[in-house]
Amino acid sequence: MKIGVAGLAVIVGLSVSATARAETLADALADAYEHSGLLEQNRALLRAADEDVAIAVSGLRPIINWTADLTRSFGRNRNANGTVNSDSTDVNVGITGQLLLYDFGRTRLQIESQKELVLATRQGLISVEQQVLQRAVAAFMNVRRNSEVVAIRKNNLRLLTEELRAAKDRFEVGEVTRTDVAQAEARLANARSGLALAEGDLVQSIEEFRAAVGRKPGNLVPPGRLPRLSGDVEAAKAVAVRRHPDMLQAQHNVAAADLNIEVAQAAMKPTVNLTTRLSAGEEIGGSDYTRNGSVGVEIGGPIYQGGRLSAATRQAMAQRDAQRGALHVVRHQVQQNVGNAYANLRAAQAATVAGEEGVRAATVAFRGVREEAKLGARTTLDVLDTEQELLDARANLVSAQVDVYIAAYSVLAATGELTAKDLNLGVQTYDPTAYYNLVKDAPVKRSKQGKKLDRVLRALGKN
């Protein structure tokens, strides 16, 4: 899929300072990837999902708690020898421990469910990455589109100024009427208005570029060749169903929902725990000292909880059905997006071919009418009309060429191939497994793994 050489020639450099840094589309995409706040937000959400795995893993670890209390007791006893005070102050400390021995796989199922949600969140991050890059492509191309339209309208304004001057000169010598001069003045006023609107559009597109990429655009050079795309729409749909992040995310959500049903069912079964207790106490100022300890196995389970556990199971089943329905919807949406993207691309390519022919024909017509006007065979209005047609043809061609690039990258996004890795942007891509590998075993803060994790968090600027 290629744009004609004549069409590409129309897209020229931005109307900015010659000292501005030349900037390619790849440069803009790389900066958008590295400076996107939206990507940072979703990376943090992924790290939060990673921690859910660690939280679930902690359920298989010993739980150790400590207690301490200081108790002041007051008493007064009366006997044959008189009244005796029995005030005392007791200090007690204790440690309790509990270890899950067996819960019919509930905790391990929770771990597997959280792992599926981590995988789903990773795919959500890739989907956000595609959105960020697609927005950057549109921002880059729209700045080029609007800058070209401004340049075309400025050139048209210069030509109309010359036309008005020529009309006035011819009016002075009686070759044209005052009507011809008024027509030229009206067209010049319209051209100034059109230029102002075009400049406003350019300012807005620059602001969008700043928001999408993270900085003001430099000297945007023409993009290179279009990305390589499959010409077979059905094959592209098949690829999208297999690899689009929205599809993969929906599949992992279904898997997590299936596991959650088993988790809810296991919650109805008993659990077996190893329990330990150790306590010591002493009366301050007294001679009493106690020390106690115990080790045991505790078995317990629900008998009646008002129907809560049954409701939780039915709820998990309903959520599973909802996720399956979402997967069905996403599959059709992904396929539709691919079809729409290819339709837009082909329409833009056809508009480009027609635009090239329109510019060629309008150029020939304008030159011919202008020469005929010099011989008196055409009016000033005829010249102005054909000049406006040429202006419109050039603007339409520029717009169609930009639409081709935007549509081509939209095809990549629709098939799940618009990522920094797929585009070879030359940036250090975010590794979603790095943080997960550090926390998946639920390291404690003082462990070797925990200290390594602290260093990672400091590097991320989050600790």
Side-chain angles (χ1 to χ4, degrees):
M1 297 179 178
K2 298 181 180 179
I3 299 176
V5 175
L8 285 174
V10 176
I11 301 184
V12 295
L14 253 176
S15 301
V16 296
S17 170
T19 60
R21 180 178 68 89
E23 180 180 343
T24 65
L25 177 58
D27 293 333
L29 294 178
D31 285 345
Y33 179 84
E34 292 179 332
H35 301 105
S36 170
L38 186 59
L39 279 175
E40 283 299 318
Q41 174 191 5
N42 282 271
R43 288 165 184 166
L45 292 175
L46 175 57
R47 292 194 295 272
D50 293 341
E51 295 291 358
D52 284 335
V53 175
I55 292 171
V57 168
S58 69
L60 298 175
R61 303 279 178 80
I63 299 173
I64 303 174
N65 294 309
W66 65 270
T67 61
D69 67 81
L70 177 66
T71 305
R72 175 67 175 172
S73 300
F74 303 94
R76 187 177 296 270
N77 300 320
R78 179 176 294 177
N79 54 33
N81 297 323
T83 301
V84 179
N85 292 329
S86 59
D87 297 353
S88 65
T89 302
D90 299 318
V91 177
N92 297 281
V93 295
I95 297 177
T96 63
Q98 180 175 306
L99 176 64
L100 176 67
L101 297 180
Y102 188 66
D103 65 350
F104 290 87
R106 180 187 180 190
T107 301
R108 294 195 178 278
L109 288 169
Q110 288 175 328
I111 294 172
E112 293 304 315
S113 174
Q114 293 301 330
K115 287 181 178 179
E116 290 293 339
L117 292 178
V118 165
L119 295 176
T121 308
R122 288 181 187 176
Q123 295 302 322
L125 177 60
I126 295 174
S127 183
V128 170
E129 179 183 340
Q130 290 207 139
Q131 295 170 25
V132 168
L133 295 179
Q134 189 173 11
R135 182 184 181 187
V137 169
F140 182 98
M141 297 307 303
N142 281 327
V143 170
R144 288 196 51 79
R145 183 207 311 265
N146 292 325
S147 64
E148 271 302 308
V149 171
V150 166
I152 291 172
R153 290 195 174 277
K154 282 182 177 179
N155 184 61
N156 183 65
L157 186 62
R158 287 192 294 269
L159 290 176
L160 288 174
T161 301
E162 292 298 325
E163 291 287 348
L164 177 58
R165 184 180 297 112
K168 288 180 178 180
D169 291 342
R170 295 172 68 188
F171 173 73
E172 291 295 332
V173 298
E175 293 183 2
V176 296
T177 66
R178 179 61 188 169
T179 301
D180 294 300
V181 176
Q183 290 171 337
E185 290 174 337
R187 193 59 59 89
L188 181 61
N190 288 335
R192 289 190 178 120
S193 175
L195 176 59
L197 291 174
E199 289 175 336
D201 290 340
L202 177 58
V203 171
Q204 292 182 37
S205 63
I206 289 174
E207 291 301 324
E208 169 62 13
F209 184 98
R210 192 193 299 269
V213 180
R215 56 170 173 76
K216 187 177 180 179
N219 180 20
L220 306 188
V221 300
R225 62 185 179 182
L226 290 174
R228 183 174 299 176
L229 303 173
S230 170
D232 189 339
V233 178
E234 294 304 318
K237 288 181 179 180
V239 170
V241 169
R242 289 196 309 271
R243 65 163 293 174
H244 196 281
D246 290 352
M247 276 294 301
L248 299 179
Q249 182 180 26
Q251 290 169 356
H252 287 302
N253 284 335
V254 170
D258 284 333
L259 289 167
N260 286 338
I261 295 175
E262 298 183 58
V263 170
Q265 292 171 339
M268 298 180 178
K269 299 177 181 179
T271 58
V272 181
N273 294 292
L274 175 67
T275 61
T276 61
R277 295 179 180 87
L278 178 64
S279 63
E282 181 179 2
E283 180 183 354
I284 297 178
S287 58
D288 293 340
Y289 175 79
T290 60
R291 184 176 63 182
N292 298 294
S294 66
V295 178
V297 176
E298 182 180 87
I299 302 175
I303 296 177
Y304 177 71
Q305 294 189 7
R308 183 179 64 85
L309 296 179
S310 297
T313 301
R314 293 192 300 270
Q315 182 185 59
M317 290 179 177
Q319 290 172 340
R320 184 270 317 274
D321 294 341
Q323 292 298 338
R324 289 179 175 177
L327 176 61
H328 183 75
V329 171
V330 169
R331 179 184 293 110
H332 286 288
Q333 187 64 58
V334 165
Q335 292 174 330
Q336 181 182 0
N337 289 343
V338 172
N340 290 344
Y342 269 100
N344 291 336
L345 176 60
R346 289 169 178 170
Q349 289 174 323
T352 298
V353 174
E356 291 172 349
E357 179 60 25
V359 168
R360 185 198 64 78
T363 300
V364 172
F366 172 65
R367 291 172 180 171
V369 170
R370 186 170 56 182
E371 291 300 319
E372 292 173 1
K374 292 178 181 178
L375 300 175
R378 293 281 187 170
T379 65
T380 300
L381 182 60
D382 292 332
V383 176
L384 294 175
D385 286 341
T386 54
E387 186 174 354
Q388 183 63 44
E389 291 172 359
L390 178 58
L391 168 67
D392 293 340
R394 287 174 175 169
N396 290 339
L397 176 57
V398 168
S399 185
Q401 290 170 334
V402 167
D403 288 340
V404 167
Y405 278 92
I406 293 176
Y409 282 94
S410 294
V411 170
L412 290 182
T415 56
E417 299 170 298
L418 187 61
T419 66
K421 182 179 179 181
D422 290 319
L423 297 177
N424 295 317
L425 294 183
V427 296
Q428 184 175 357
T429 57
Y430 183 80
D431 182 3
T433 65
Y435 187 85
Y436 174 81
N437 290 335
L438 290 175
V439 303
K440 65 180 181 180
D441 295 323
V444 297
K445 189 173 182 63
R446 294 181 179 85
S447 67
K448 180 179 179 181
Q449 191 79 345
K451 292 177 181 179
K452 184 177 180 181
L453 182 58
D454 286 342
R455 291 194 296 270
V456 171
L457 289 173
R458 284 193 294 270
L460 290 170
K462 308 300 180 186
N463 190 21

